[in-house]
Amino acid sequence: MPEGDTVHRAAGLLDRSLTGHVLTATDFRVPQLATSDLTGGTVTTTVARGKHLLTRISHEGAELTLHTHLKMEGAWRVLRPGQPWRRPAHQARVVLRTASSVAVGFSLGVVELLPTAQEGTVVGHLGPDLLGPDWDEEEALRRLRADPGRPITEALLDQRNLAGIGNMYAAELCFLAGVHPRTPVGEIAALPRLVRRSQQVLALNAERGTQSTTGSLRTGDRMWVYRRDRSPCRRCGTPVAVDMAGPAGRERATYWCPHCQPA
């Protein structure tokens, strides 16, 4: 699933390309919006909230928000009119056209329209956004500490605690903190440092557009443990371990170094 920095960059792309422009055509290729038409509306902004995208549109006196979520396979692409799409047309879920751009949302996991005043119904449950202008480290720590017995990986992935961390960053941040992914939150003395580093890593990667936690931007060298199971740890040489963790039915692969992150 795309991480918060990926969604943040997608919001920036849509904002730069569409904001202030009039929609010359719209196409919503999901059953619940099949008859919706926002042609003539003006895009006022696109913002990210955790892993959610909110594109606000002023249309016929109404202020509406197009709420989308990339889920596992989704992506937004902005093309010039007439430029070929790089993904099959049957994967397109939303097409927004202006005189200068064509924004296509492919394989989006969530597509819905709602009054902008009701955005809280879809993102109000989220914790502080690691990349948002209102990032609040103390509030994120308060939410994490509210369940001290919860494994740290599960707590970091819970968007109600802090918004933006996905499976990759959860594994990498635990390695950087030297904690086993199943360590209870209440046992992590350096939790403030872990949370602060989370914000720093996502902000840096959002700015440069390449995800790396090692500092190297070379392909194959960007991660410490994520998807490196059975490969030697970059610090100590111990084979990286992998296991499934999380609530029943929602387990995810988690990675760690048994030596650098002892149980």
Side-chain angles (χ1 to χ4, degrees):
M1 183 177 292
E3 311 271 342
D5 54 337
T6 300
V7 179
H8 181 82
R9 289 195 300 274
L13 172 65
L14 293 174
D15 194 49
R16 291 190 302 273
S17 304
L18 301 179
T19 294
H21 293 269
V22 175
L23 296 171
T24 58
T26 63
D27 187 2
F28 299 97
R29 302 182 182 184
V30 292
Q32 67 271 26
L33 297 178
T35 60
S36 299
D37 185 2
L38 298 185
T39 300
T42 299
V43 179
T44 58
T45 190
T46 296
V47 298
R49 186 76 175 88
K51 298 184 181 184
H52 300 254
L53 286 161
L54 304 171
T55 299
R56 297 166 184 154
I57 301 166
S58 181
H59 181 255
E60 296 182 349
E63 301 302 319
L64 303 173
T65 294
L66 171 62
H67 169 225
T68 59
H69 195 298
L70 305 183
K71 294 292 185 179
M72 295 295 293
E73 306 291 339
W76 276 97
R77 299 288 183 263
V78 177
L79 311 166
R80 298 184 302 276
Q83 185 178 356
W85 295 0
R86 296 183 180 180
R87 290 176 63 165
H90 72 264
Q91 293 183 6
R93 297 293 177 267
V94 179
V95 184
L96 304 176
R97 299 180 184 272
T98 70
S100 58
S101 301
V102 180
V104 187
F106 292 101
S107 302
L108 300 173
V110 173
V111 178
E112 58 182 337
L113 278 174
L114 66 155
T116 298
Q118 296 178 16
E119 287 180 356
T121 62
V122 292
V123 297
H125 66 287
L126 298 175
D129 187 341
L130 285 154
L131 296 176
D134 57 347
W135 163 244
D136 188 334
E137 180 181 313
E138 290 303 315
E139 175 61 15
L141 287 167
R142 186 192 68 78
R143 294 187 181 214
L144 287 167
R145 288 169 172 156
D147 190 354
R150 193 175 192 185
I152 183 60
T153 294
E154 288 185 29
L156 290 174
L157 290 172
D158 189 338
Q159 303 300 294
R160 295 170 298 180
N161 290 329
L162 65 174
I165 294 178
N167 207 37
M168 180 270 284
Y169 279 127
E172 293 293 292
L173 289 164
C174 283
F175 177 85
L176 290 169
V179 299
H180 190 279
R182 290 196 178 93
T183 303
V185 171
E187 295 182 13
I188 301 175
L191 189 63
R193 183 180 179 186
L194 191 159
V195 169
R196 193 169 301 121
R197 179 170 283 172
S198 301
Q199 196 278 330
Q200 293 169 345
V201 169
L202 263 72
L204 176 60
N205 286 338
E207 181 177 336
R208 66 188 174 193
T210 300
Q211 291 175 321
S212 172
T213 58
T214 63
S216 173
L217 300 183
R218 294 185 300 178
T219 301
D221 292 341
R222 297 172 185 169
M223 299 293 144
W224 290 103
V225 293
Y226 182 69
R227 289 187 174 175
R228 297 194 64 246
D229 40 308
R230 294 182 293 279
S231 298
C233 172
R234 300 189 191 280
R235 282 184 177 166
C236 71
T238 302
V240 172
V242 61
D243 197 5
M244 301 302 291
R250 292 186 291 146
E251 298 91 346
R252 301 185 190 183
T254 187
Y255 306 82
W256 75 97
C257 170
H259 180 265
C260 297
Q261 302 165 263

